[in-house]
Structure formats: structure tokens, C-alpha cells
Amino acid sequence: MRLILLVLAALVFPVAAQEDMSAKTWLNNMSQALRDKEFKASLIQLQAGHVRPLVYLHGIVNGQEIAFLEYLNGPPKNAVRVGNTVTFIEHDQAPYSVVAGRLQGIWPAAFAGDIGALETSYQFILGGRSRIAGRPGQMIRLLPYDNSRYGYQVWLDMETYLPLRFDMLTEDRQLLEQLMVIELLELQEPPALLLEAYKHEWPPVIDQAERQEGQNWQFAWLPKGFSVLIRDHHRLIGSHEAVEYIGLTDGMASISVYVARAGSSPLPEELLTRNGLSLVTEKVGNAEVVALGKVPMETLSRIAKSLTLE
């Protein structure tokens, strides 16, 4: 009988301790769990009217984070991260590697980073609790301080602090995108697949485009919390001419801005949006600007119009 009481007390104590935890503490625990824990998550992604099943593995091998992401439907498509190198493996092209601290396509990179950096742009609020994938979860809301970006909510597993569900929402709480775990397994050691990934010789990191011909475009306005992440040369689909590319992020949302000399073809007259992904085209002087990202169209338009050449 005493043993049963001790077991019950051990189960109740963590929940009682969690009652006093702030939303930021929950998110900090999530960040640490995503970096340190070894686990396998089977997920479904609801995006643009499609359901996409995924499998994500994470572990630590000789002090390095190793992660593997597999898309289960359609042509084979995988991504592997060893430390700060991510390799993409797709059916129709040779594997290639880039420098990146996280795998894209699942949770925002900020979730495994400095949660405090998000406080400039988002308010953290404790929500209710519900059961997801058979596990009790605590919901945390990330509400933007302005209308230049969308809001988010995430449910964290109350045992491991790993994310169980992640929603992107409009200002009037319409669901734009959702990522939900359907099975979560915490592992005691790295799975064999991650051990093999650590030993495998992946392609070398591709060289970034040189910016000798790049122009010094600057933004007169950016939403608070957004900063330039990268600048290089890209090619727009259907174009044979190099364009200037500027990547922006606030830790949750990412925005891509392309700048090129205006062509003879007229720009689209309408702004486009599809399940959270918006695209805006603007003319700035003699340049054509294309901005896209999972933020409101008005934000993209204002960013594009604020470009100046220095």
C-alpha cells in the first residue's frame, strides 16, 4: 500500500509543480527538450487544403544533435541534420547540403532557440489543457503585439515538454496551418538511423552566391522584431537573370524579398494569399519587388514599398 501511495505521489507532484509555471517557463522547457531529448514523432501537417504525414527523429550522438525528417506521401523527400549541416535528399536531384541550425518544414526554429527573443513581438499566455495523441498537453498562446503578423498556439506534452500540436491563426482566429503529433515516443538512446547519419559522409556544403554585383537595398520600415537573416543572389522561377534576395525573420515567421530590374511584362494587379502564404508584387523606382511569406498581405506590401537603394 505504501508503494502505491509513493507512486501516486510521484505522478501528482509534477502536475502540482506545473500549476505555478509561467507560459515562458513552459516554452523554455520546450526549447530545451527539442535540443536535448531523443525522440520519434509521427506527425500530420494540414496545409493549403492538404494532409501531409511526416516522421521526425531527434537524438544526440557524440555531443552533436542529429535529426531526420521524412515525408511519407508522394515522391521520396528527406532531410538530415548533423550538427549545423542540413542535407536534402530528393528523388529528382542529387543530394546537397547547406549550413542551418534546424530542419525547416516542422516547428519554427525559434522553438529550439532563445525563447526570450520572441518577447519583442509576441505575448506568451497560458491556455487550457487537452489530450493529444493520448498524452495530456498544456496550451500556450503566442499573441502578436501588432497586426503585422499572425498568432500561434502550441500544445506541450506535460511529461516531456515536447510540442504535440502547433497552429497558425489569423487575427480572428481562423486556422491557417496546423502540425499535429499522432504518436510521440521518447527514446533512451539514439535510433540506428541517426547513428548511421552521423557516420555517413554527406555532400559538402554548397557555396553561397557571391555578392560582388549585389546592390545595397535597405528597408525604411520593418515590423518590430524582424531583421535581415541573409542576403544573396537567387533566380525567380522562369527567369534567367539573377535577382537580389533578402531573407527576413522574427523567429516565427519568415519573409522572402526578391528585387530585380523591372521587365516589360505587367505585374499582377491582385495580391494573392493561400492558407497563410501571401505574395505581393510592387514597383519601386526601376525595380520590381516580389515579397512572400506567411504574414498578412498588408505587411508584405508595406515592406516592399519601404525598400530604398543606398
Side-chain angles (χ1 to χ4, degrees), residues 23 40 55 77 92 94 97 100 106 109 111 136 139 152 157 160 183 197 200 216 250 255 267 269 286 303:
K40 175 183 178 181
V55 170
K77 181 180 178 182
D92 56 351
S97 302
I106 44 173
F111 274 13
M139 191 251 279
Y152 305 91
D157 178 34
T160 65
E183 184 182 38
H200 189 79
N216 190 23
D250 70 345
I255 297 173
L267 296 175
E269 295 181 358
N286 294 324
I303 288 174

Side-chain angles (χ1 to χ4, degrees), residues 204-215:
V205 173
I206 60 175
D207 294 331
Q208 295 295 318
E210 295 184 2
R211 287 186 42 80
Q212 294 178 356
E213 302 299 326
Q215 295 179 310

Side-chain angles (χ1 to χ4, degrees), residues 27-39 56 58-60 63-66 81 101-102 109-115 162:
L27 293 175
N28 280 328
N29 289 342
M30 172 195 67
S31 177
Q32 183 174 350
L34 284 172
R35 296 192 306 268
D36 297 344
K37 287 190 177 294
E38 296 177 320
F39 63 95
Y56 179 73
H58 181 271
I60 307 296
Q64 285 200 80
E65 284 188 69
I66 314 294
R81 180 169 78 91
R102 313 305 303 176
F111 274 13
D114 179 11
I115 294 299
L162 292 166

Side-chain angles (χ1 to χ4, degrees), residues 22 82 104 137 140 156 167 217 276:
S22 67
V82 179
Q104 294 185 355
I140 309 293
L156 306 181
D167 295 350
W217 288 97

